[in-house]
């Protein structure tokens, strides 16, 4: 796995925080100005708003989300605040995933050149009527790109997600794409752990600091997840993966020429232990976060299969079912699954 170096992480953190700020401000403005959903928790009557039939349907979906959050114990103001934050999280992860997918060749160019991106221009050539909206069809195209990823990561990219009804404005979309596009730092988007770092950078250092200082124990499930979020350096991932999964693979078959791929292995086994076929390997990360350890395990299993004569393109379908992760924050598990798929 080619992961982000310190410079890449610094660049990505700045981009993610800027994108979050843009999205939250814009979505809050849309919620209030178009849908009559205020930061205080007050919600206007539908009849008092001048909305098109399509906007009425979108608003009802968004209001249902707010009501659901209230029934879950959120105060009116906190329910709206969470609505905005979760919608921003959803849109940002979908955009970043599209940027990653194009960088690794899974999708045609879609974000890197903004509205001049080849994939978007090709679609307009085929279906020019798609461009008849306030973004010239670009937002609809980006949604289709993210929906395409739902085949392999159905939860994170579910096109039925009700939060998608609260959409960024055209000016906000232009700002977001400008932050994600461009040739500078293009290697960031091709790194295997970029989606995982995107999740981790979404929660700011200041938020974690304030939560930890506010009380000795977390008050909500989100606070529990954010307070206990710790970044894992790559060398720690390599050390633990090589001395757990790597050692077990060597223990099962010392003849497997895997030792050169385990430079951090401590005290290699000298003789064969319990046999374990590669087909039977299972890895569980009980606090998977955004999947950094599972990505490390994927790389090691890919090497092991390659030493058995199976090329990476053929081993992928065998490796993915071997990797399991759970986390107190379900969004973490979704991001980890998407990162492995990408």
């Amino acid at each position: 796995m080619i992961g982000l170096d310190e410079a890449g992480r610094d660049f990505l953190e700045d981009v993610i925080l800027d994108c979050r700020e843009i999205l939250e401000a814009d979505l809050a403005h849309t919620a209030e100005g178009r849908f009559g959903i205020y930061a205080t928790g007050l919600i206007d009557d539908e009849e008092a708003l001048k909305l098109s039939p399509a906007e009425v349907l979108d608003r009802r979906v968004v209001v249902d989300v707010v009501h659901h959050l209230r029934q879950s114990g959120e105060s009116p103001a906190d329910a709206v605040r969470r609505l905005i934050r979760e919608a921003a999280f959803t849109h940002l992860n979908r955009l970043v995933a599209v940027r990653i997918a194009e960088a690794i060749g899974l999708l045609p160019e879609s974000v890197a050149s903004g509205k001049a991106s080849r994939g978007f221009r090709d679609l307009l050539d085929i279906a020019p009527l798609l461009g008849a909206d306030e973004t010239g069809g670009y937002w609809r195209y980006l949604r289709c790109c993210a929906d395409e990823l739902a085949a392999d990561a159905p939860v994170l990219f579910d096109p039925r997600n009700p939060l998608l009804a609260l959409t960024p404005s055209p000016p906000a979309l232009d700002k977001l794409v400008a932050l994600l596009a461009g040739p500078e730092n293009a290697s960031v988007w091709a790194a295997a752990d970029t989606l995982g770092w995107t999740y981790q950078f979404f929660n700011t250092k200041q938020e974690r600091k304030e939560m930890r200082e506010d009380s000795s124990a977390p008050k909500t499930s989100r606070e529990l997840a954010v307070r206990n979020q710790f970044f894992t350096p790559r060398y720690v991932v390599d050390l633990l993966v090589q001395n757990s999964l790597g050692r077990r693979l060597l223990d099962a078959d010392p003849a497997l020429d895997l030792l050169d791929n385990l430079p951090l292995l401590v005290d290699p086994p000298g003789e064969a232990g319990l046999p374990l076929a590669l087909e039977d390997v299972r890895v569980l990360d009980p606090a998977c976060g955004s999947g950094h350890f599972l990505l490390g395990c994927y790389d090691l299993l890919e090497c092991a299969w390659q030493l058995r004569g199976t090329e990476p393109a053929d081993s992928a379908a065998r490796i993915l079912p071997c990797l399991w992760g759970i986390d107190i924050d379900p969004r973490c598990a979704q991001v980890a699954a998407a990162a492995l798929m990408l």
Side-chain angles (χ1 to χ4, degrees), residues 79-93:
V80 174
R81 190 177 301 113
R82 184 173 174 187
L83 164 74
I84 300 302
R85 184 179 64 243
E86 297 295 341
F89 176 87
T90 298
H91 287 308
L92 180 54
N93 275 275

mmCIF file of all heavy atoms in Angstrom, residues 79-93:
data_model
loop_
_atom_site.group_PDB
_atom_site.id
_atom_site.type_symbol
_atom_site.label_atom_id
_atom_site.label_comp_id
_atom_site.label_asym_id
_atom_site.label_seq_id
_atom_site.Cartn_x
_atom_site.Cartn_y
_atom_site.Cartn_z
ATOM 1 N N ALA A 79 -30.712 18.543 16.549
ATOM 2 C CA ALA A 79 -31.168 17.725 15.422
ATOM 3 C C ALA A 79 -30.836 18.399 14.098
ATOM 4 O O ALA A 79 -30.360 17.756 13.152
ATOM 5 C CB ALA A 79 -32.665 17.472 15.529
ATOM 6 N N VAL A 80 -31.069 19.718 14.017
ATOM 7 C CA VAL A 80 -30.743 20.442 12.782
ATOM 8 C C VAL A 80 -29.242 20.502 12.586
ATOM 9 O O VAL A 80 -28.732 20.331 11.467
ATOM 10 C CB VAL A 80 -31.348 21.866 12.828
ATOM 11 C CG1 VAL A 80 -30.892 22.677 11.623
ATOM 12 C CG2 VAL A 80 -32.861 21.791 12.873
ATOM 13 N N ARG A 81 -28.501 20.724 13.679
ATOM 14 C CA ARG A 81 -27.040 20.778 13.577
ATOM 15 C C ARG A 81 -26.492 19.438 13.069
ATOM 16 O O ARG A 81 -25.596 19.398 12.228
ATOM 17 C CB ARG A 81 -26.453 21.108 14.942
ATOM 18 C CG ARG A 81 -24.954 21.421 14.928
ATOM 19 C CD ARG A 81 -24.444 21.814 16.303
ATOM 20 N NE ARG A 81 -25.147 22.981 16.813
ATOM 21 C CZ ARG A 81 -25.965 22.976 17.851
ATOM 22 N NH1 ARG A 81 -26.221 21.839 18.502
ATOM 23 N NH2 ARG A 81 -26.554 24.078 18.250
ATOM 24 N N ARG A 82 -27.060 18.344 13.574
ATOM 25 C CA ARG A 82 -26.587 17.026 13.129
ATOM 26 C C ARG A 82 -26.987 16.764 11.685
ATOM 27 O O ARG A 82 -26.229 16.150 10.929
ATOM 28 C CB ARG A 82 -27.143 15.941 14.044
ATOM 29 C CG ARG A 82 -26.605 14.552 13.688
ATOM 30 C CD ARG A 82 -27.000 13.505 14.676
ATOM 31 N NE ARG A 82 -26.597 12.187 14.235
ATOM 32 C CZ ARG A 82 -26.936 11.061 14.858
ATOM 33 N NH1 ARG A 82 -27.658 11.098 15.965
ATOM 34 N NH2 ARG A 82 -26.546 9.902 14.378
ATOM 35 N N LEU A 83 -28.182 17.202 11.305
ATOM 36 C CA LEU A 83 -28.604 17.076 9.911
ATOM 37 C C LEU A 83 -27.580 17.709 8.982
ATOM 38 O O LEU A 83 -27.154 17.088 7.991
ATOM 39 C CB LEU A 83 -29.966 17.750 9.716
ATOM 40 C CG LEU A 83 -30.381 18.046 8.257
ATOM 41 C CD1 LEU A 83 -30.784 16.763 7.562
ATOM 42 C CD2 LEU A 83 -31.498 19.085 8.205
ATOM 43 N N ILE A 84 -27.170 18.934 9.290
ATOM 44 C CA ILE A 84 -26.221 19.646 8.440
ATOM 45 C C ILE A 84 -24.876 18.929 8.416
ATOM 46 O O ILE A 84 -24.270 18.749 7.351
ATOM 47 C CB ILE A 84 -26.054 21.101 8.930
ATOM 48 C CG1 ILE A 84 -27.398 21.841 8.896
ATOM 49 C CG2 ILE A 84 -25.017 21.822 8.096
ATOM 50 C CD1 ILE A 84 -28.056 21.889 7.555
ATOM 51 N N ARG A 85 -24.412 18.519 9.585
ATOM 52 C CA ARG A 85 -23.101 17.856 9.662
ATOM 53 C C ARG A 85 -23.102 16.537 8.894
ATOM 54 O O ARG A 85 -22.160 16.241 8.146
ATOM 55 C CB ARG A 85 -22.726 17.604 11.126
ATOM 56 C CG ARG A 85 -21.331 17.004 11.314
ATOM 57 C CD ARG A 85 -20.994 16.802 12.779
ATOM 58 N NE ARG A 85 -21.865 15.837 13.413
ATOM 59 C CZ ARG A 85 -22.698 16.113 14.407
ATOM 60 N NH1 ARG A 85 -22.801 17.354 14.868
ATOM 61 N NH2 ARG A 85 -23.455 15.164 14.945
ATOM 62 N N GLU A 86 -24.155 15.730 9.068
ATOM 63 C CA GLU A 86 -24.200 14.432 8.399
ATOM 64 C C GLU A 86 -24.369 14.593 6.883
ATOM 65 O O GLU A 86 -23.808 13.818 6.104
ATOM 66 C CB GLU A 86 -25.330 13.581 8.976
ATOM 67 C CG GLU A 86 -25.182 13.232 10.441
ATOM 68 C CD GLU A 86 -23.997 12.338 10.723
ATOM 69 O OE1 GLU A 86 -23.501 11.691 9.777
ATOM 70 O OE2 GLU A 86 -23.554 12.273 11.883
ATOM 71 N N ALA A 87 -25.133 15.601 6.460
ATOM 72 C CA ALA A 87 -25.281 15.848 5.024
ATOM 73 C C ALA A 87 -23.956 16.289 4.424
ATOM 74 O O ALA A 87 -23.577 15.856 3.323
ATOM 75 C CB ALA A 87 -26.364 16.897 4.779
ATOM 76 N N ALA A 88 -23.231 17.152 5.143
ATOM 77 C CA ALA A 88 -21.913 17.583 4.667
ATOM 78 C C ALA A 88 -20.962 16.394 4.585
ATOM 79 O O ALA A 88 -20.209 16.244 3.606
ATOM 80 C CB ALA A 88 -21.347 18.647 5.604
ATOM 81 N N PHE A 89 -20.988 15.526 5.587
ATOM 82 C CA PHE A 89 -20.148 14.322 5.593
ATOM 83 C C PHE A 89 -20.462 13.440 4.385
ATOM 84 O O PHE A 89 -19.553 12.944 3.707
ATOM 85 C CB PHE A 89 -20.378 13.546 6.893
ATOM 86 C CG PHE A 89 -19.650 12.235 6.979
ATOM 87 C CD1 PHE A 89 -18.353 12.183 7.456
ATOM 88 C CD2 PHE A 89 -20.262 11.056 6.586
ATOM 89 C CE1 PHE A 89 -17.678 10.966 7.539
ATOM 90 C CE2 PHE A 89 -19.596 9.838 6.666
ATOM 91 C CZ PHE A 89 -18.301 9.800 7.140
ATOM 92 N N THR A 90 -21.746 13.248 4.116
ATOM 93 C CA THR A 90 -22.162 12.385 3.008
ATOM 94 C C THR A 90 -21.698 12.946 1.669
ATOM 95 O O THR A 90 -21.083 12.237 0.855
ATOM 96 C CB THR A 90 -23.691 12.229 3.014
ATOM 97 O OG1 THR A 90 -24.096 11.597 4.231
ATOM 98 C CG2 THR A 90 -24.152 11.398 1.830
ATOM 99 N N HIS A 91 -21.977 14.213 1.419
ATOM 100 C CA HIS A 91 -21.586 14.815 0.146
ATOM 101 C C HIS A 91 -20.070 14.820 -0.028
ATOM 102 O O HIS A 91 -19.556 14.532 -1.117
ATOM 103 C CB HIS A 91 -22.120 16.242 0.048
ATOM 104 C CG HIS A 91 -23.592 16.334 -0.167
ATOM 105 N ND1 HIS A 91 -24.239 15.660 -1.182
ATOM 106 C CD2 HIS A 91 -24.557 17.024 0.497
ATOM 107 C CE1 HIS A 91 -25.533 15.926 -1.139
ATOM 108 N NE2 HIS A 91 -25.755 16.756 -0.134
ATOM 109 N N LEU A 92 -19.343 15.146 1.035
ATOM 110 C CA LEU A 92 -17.889 15.234 0.933
ATOM 111 C C LEU A 92 -17.273 13.877 0.641
ATOM 112 O O LEU A 92 -16.404 13.748 -0.225
ATOM 113 C CB LEU A 92 -17.316 15.821 2.223
ATOM 114 C CG LEU A 92 -15.791 15.969 2.270
ATOM 115 C CD1 LEU A 92 -15.265 16.770 1.086
ATOM 116 C CD2 LEU A 92 -15.358 16.622 3.587
ATOM 117 N N ASN A 93 -17.716 12.838 1.336
ATOM 118 C CA ASN A 93 -17.149 11.506 1.099
ATOM 119 C C ASN A 93 -17.463 11.000 -0.299
ATOM 120 O O ASN A 93 -16.634 10.334 -0.926
ATOM 121 C CB ASN A 93 -17.663 10.523 2.158
ATOM 122 C CG ASN A 93 -16.844 10.549 3.424
ATOM 123 O OD1 ASN A 93 -15.816 9.879 3.521
ATOM 124 N ND2 ASN A 93 -17.277 11.339 4.389
#
